[in-house]
Amino acid sequence: MRDILVVGAGNAALCAAIAAAENGARVTMLERAPQELRGGNSAFTGGCFRTVYDGADDIQHLVPDLTDAERDSSDFGSYDAATFYLDLCELSGYRADPVLIDILVEQSLPTLLWMKEHGVRFLPSYGRQSFKVDGRNVFWGGLTVETAGGGLGLVDALFRRAEALGVEVRYDHKVESLLGDRRRVTGVIANGEELYADAVILAAGGFHANTEWRVRYLGQGWDLAKVRGSRYNTGNVIRAALDLGARSHGNWSGCHSVFFDAGADDFGNIGVLNQQKNYFTLGIVVNRDGQRFFDEGSDFRNYTYSKMGAAILKQPGGTGWQVFDAKATPLLPDEYRVPRAARFEADTLEALAAKLEGIDTDGFLHTVFEYNAAVDEDVPFNPAIKDGRGTSGLTIPKSNWARTISEPPFVAYQVSCGITLTYGGLAIDSEARVQNEEGEVIAGLFAAGELVGGLYYDRYPGGAGLTSGSVFGRIAGAQAAST
Ligand SMILES: Cc1cc2nc3c(=O)[nH]c(=O)nc-3n(C[C@H](O)[C@H](O)[C@H](O)COP(=O)(O)OP(=O)(O)OC[C@H]3O[C@@H](n4cnc5c(N)ncnc54)[C@H](O)[C@@H]3O)c2cc1C
């Protein structure tokens, strides 16, 4: 029986552990966090998975308890392999590793079905990814399923299955370095102890929680970002692999970051989820000068939201406000109804401006009035398609979903930058084997999840992170158990 060490205990690590165990290996997971904070960034997620699917039949396969009434009242659409592949190409500026994204796309649905067999429960993502149009739930963003109970539900289901398969999880075990050399890895050092194995699978996340690395790799100002998720993803396992001779890969100066509650803690708090604010498409966003600074309606939020943290970080004071009126607020999902959101409401725009501390009130009012006058009222509003209802004559247009900010009550949410994950990491091949700087495979070393580089550059399609961790985690586990 082969002995496998899995480093980390998030989604990628758990999928790797389950795949290795079902292929007959003895698996030990080494997790830096204490048990009560287990699950990494994966536990913080909404559990949304991007996958290829062909209409309601595939959704029904993933969601066996979908009722006839739900099926009849939903337009799930389809998301084919070519579209998923093209999305990954376009959002990365055609830099994404073609071998890896091909596998990610092709294996997305089979991997989710495999997870379902292992006890993960999927549901249609009604609340976040569909809008009611003519009485039907219309899905719009290629991101149609989420796990029951969100990220916590996901990792709980995977831990249950891993433990049932005999996987041992050692919490409070920080992996510090790898044993071996640039051609073969034989184990790890964790908490000062040498642990040997036939194979090691690295799934310890990226480096978003390392303030110093953020400045070093992402650039000036990134020390000021708030960490949305796990405080344990500091890149030290990436560093351990690089020290051994592994090849760095991907967009080391790139990351996923979003509009985030201005009053949020510096690190993710599992008791206060949903502090992102991603439905700016339904309103406008202004900075401290009261100015808009990007086209809020350029595309569905799934394809633009991952750059918004960087955008707000560059604004004066690194802060701004998302502004909505009574026409838009009923469409905002539950992330706008969480405790501790910096939310301001008033019956007039002037009264709202007075509540936005630090804003240039004249600038703000001028921006809203100018925007309202520029909205094309002749095009019908439809949030489930790119409706082409835009503005005309503004220096910064709003290209879709433009509606006036005119019906009280008016609401503003103050936002800052929340970093989600980093894009740079290690180079792997099609079997999730880590490569060395010479381009050869490092025998006995596999990787999956956030610490793999080469998948995302510049932008990121929502829901790809969990899917890629599952796809490559499953491959890594099966390969490690059999080679
Ligand atoms: C708030 C939030 C919401 C998100 N929502 C979604 C979503 O809905 N859909 C989606 O696809 N993606 C989402 N993401 C991104 C998603 O979380 C990641 O892409 C994915 O979870 C990464 O999984 P992973 O297993 O690679 O890393 P993680 O889940 O972060 O697991 C890494 C694990 O390694 C451990 N570790 C770190 N260093 C060491 C060490 N030295 N020794 C031992 N263990 C170590 C960590 O403690 C952690 O448990 C979200 C992220 C956040 C923060």
Side-chain angles (χ1 to χ4, degrees):
M1 184 182 266
R2 285 173 65 78
D3 271 312
I4 312 285
L5 288 173
V6 179
V7 182
N11 173 59
L14 286 159
C15 288
I18 290 169
E22 74 174 357
N23 280 282
R26 181 169 32 232
V27 184
T28 306
M29 304 183 79
L30 304 170
E31 167 54 49
R32 178 178 184 176
Q35 182 164 1
E36 62 275 17
L37 295 177
R38 70 183 189 176
N41 249 3
S42 306
F44 286 84
T45 69
C48 301
F49 277 76
R50 181 167 291 263
T51 181
V52 167
Y53 67 95
D54 187 7
D57 286 346
D58 274 345
I59 298 300
Q60 184 95 58
H61 288 139
L62 279 170
V63 187
D65 35 5
L66 189 71
T67 64
D68 288 347
E70 285 170 329
R71 193 175 160 142
D72 291 346
S73 62
S74 303
D75 286 342
F76 293 114
S78 290
Y79 191 58
D80 63 25
T83 310
F84 192 176
Y85 191 86
L86 200 62
D87 280 346
L88 287 159
C89 290
E90 282 181 358
L91 295 183
S92 68
Y94 294 87
R95 289 188 177 95
D97 186 321
V99 173
L100 298 188
I101 62 172
D102 196 32
I103 295 169
L104 167 57
V105 169
E106 291 303 329
Q107 289 302 312
S108 59
L109 184 59
T111 301
L112 266 62
L113 290 167
W114 171 82
M115 293 172 78
K116 185 195 78 170
E117 295 308 315
H118 281 294
V120 174
R121 196 169 151 236
F122 290 101
L123 302 170
S125 197
Y126 284 119
R128 295 161 193 254
Q129 294 288 323
S130 75
F131 286 113
K132 265 235 153 49
V133 180
D134 299 331
R136 297 177 64 72
N137 296 303
V138 183
F139 286 80
W140 42 267
L143 182 52
T144 302
V145 292
E146 64 186 38
T147 45
L152 279 168
L154 165 69
V155 296
D156 280 351
L158 293 173
F159 273 115
R160 249 194 316 278
R161 186 62 185 144
E163 282 159 7
L165 287 168
V167 172
E168 183 193 350
V169 189
R170 296 189 196 164
Y171 298 102
D172 292 304
H173 272 67
K174 179 181 178 188
V175 168
E176 290 138 4
S177 55
L178 303 182
L179 297 167
D181 57 34
R182 72 180 208 280
R183 297 199 192 285
R184 169 168 292 280
V185 161
T186 53
V188 305
I189 298 184
N191 292 359
E193 187 190 353
E194 292 185 358
L195 300 167
Y196 290 89
D198 295 303
V200 174
I201 301 172
L202 306 180
F207 61 86
H208 67 261
N210 185 329
T211 309
E212 193 240 324
W213 277 34
R214 287 205 303 271
V215 176
R216 191 190 301 183
Y217 296 114
L218 304 181
Q220 220 179 353
W222 280 96
D223 43 343
L224 304 178
K226 291 169 188 281
V227 171
R228 293 180 64 202
S230 165
R231 67 183 306 130
Y232 300 102
N233 296 14
T234 55
N236 86 299
V237 169
I238 299 176
R239 170 53 57 205
L242 296 180
D243 286 347
L244 195 87
R247 183 161 77 86
S248 58
H249 190 36
N251 187 197
W252 276 69
S253 59
C255 71
H256 180 301
S257 63
V258 299
F259 286 128
F260 202 53
D261 283 345
D265 296 339
D266 286 345
F267 284 98
N269 176 346
I270 203 80
V272 193
L273 292 172
N274 261 345
Q275 292 181 289
Q276 73 277 17
K277 296 284 167 279
N278 291 326
Y279 293 80
F280 46 86
T281 47
L282 300 171
I284 60 168
V285 188
V286 295
N287 63 15
R288 226 166 47 180
D289 298 330
Q291 307 291 325
R292 291 174 58 244
F293 52 94
F294 72 105
D295 178 349
E296 299 91 341
S298 64
D299 204 339
F300 287 116
R301 75 89 166 159
N302 288 358
Y303 302 108
T304 58
Y305 78 123
S306 65
K307 297 261 297 183
M308 292 305 148
I312 194 72
L313 201 59
K314 287 196 202 115
Q315 299 307 308
T319 194
W321 291 265
Q322 298 184 359
V323 185
F324 307 97
D325 77 350
K327 297 191 291 299
T329 43
L331 297 177
L332 296 175
D334 53 6
E335 68 196 40
Y336 285 82
R337 287 182 287 279
V338 290
R340 297 213 235 163
R343 180 182 187 279
F344 306 90
E345 183 177 324
D347 283 333
T348 64
L349 287 164
E350 289 75 6
L352 183 68
K355 290 184 174 179
L356 308 183
E357 199 179 322
I359 202 168
D360 176 334
T361 50
D362 290 343
F364 169 69
L365 293 171
H366 178 262
T367 296
V368 178
F369 296 144
E370 185 185 53
Y371 165 80
N372 283 349
V375 169
D376 184 350
E377 296 283 2
D378 294 335
V379 180
F381 170 76
N382 183 346
I385 57 168
K386 288 213 267 185
D387 63 4
R389 184 185 160 105
T391 55
S392 52
L394 296 180
T395 316
I396 300 175
K398 182 171 179 185
S399 303
N400 292 287
W401 313 300
R403 290 198 292 180
T404 54
I405 312 279
S406 54
E407 281 183 29
F410 302 100
V411 178
Y413 291 83
Q414 189 172 8
V415 287
S416 62
C417 168
I419 183 167
T420 320
L421 58 104
T422 44
Y423 293 161
L426 304 173
I428 60 167
D429 68 5
S430 59
E431 287 161 14
R433 299 177 298 187
V434 177
Q435 298 178 348
N436 64 21
E437 284 180 325
E438 288 72 31
E440 302 154 346
V441 162
I442 303 179
L445 190 62
F446 299 82
E450 254 173 36
L451 55 55
V452 169
L455 288 162
Y456 323 114
Y457 296 73
D458 191 38
R459 285 185 293 150
Y460 157 105
L466 287 174
T467 305
S468 86
S470 298
V471 165
F472 290 104
R474 182 188 181 201
I475 293 172
Q479 289 296 323
S482 60
T483 49

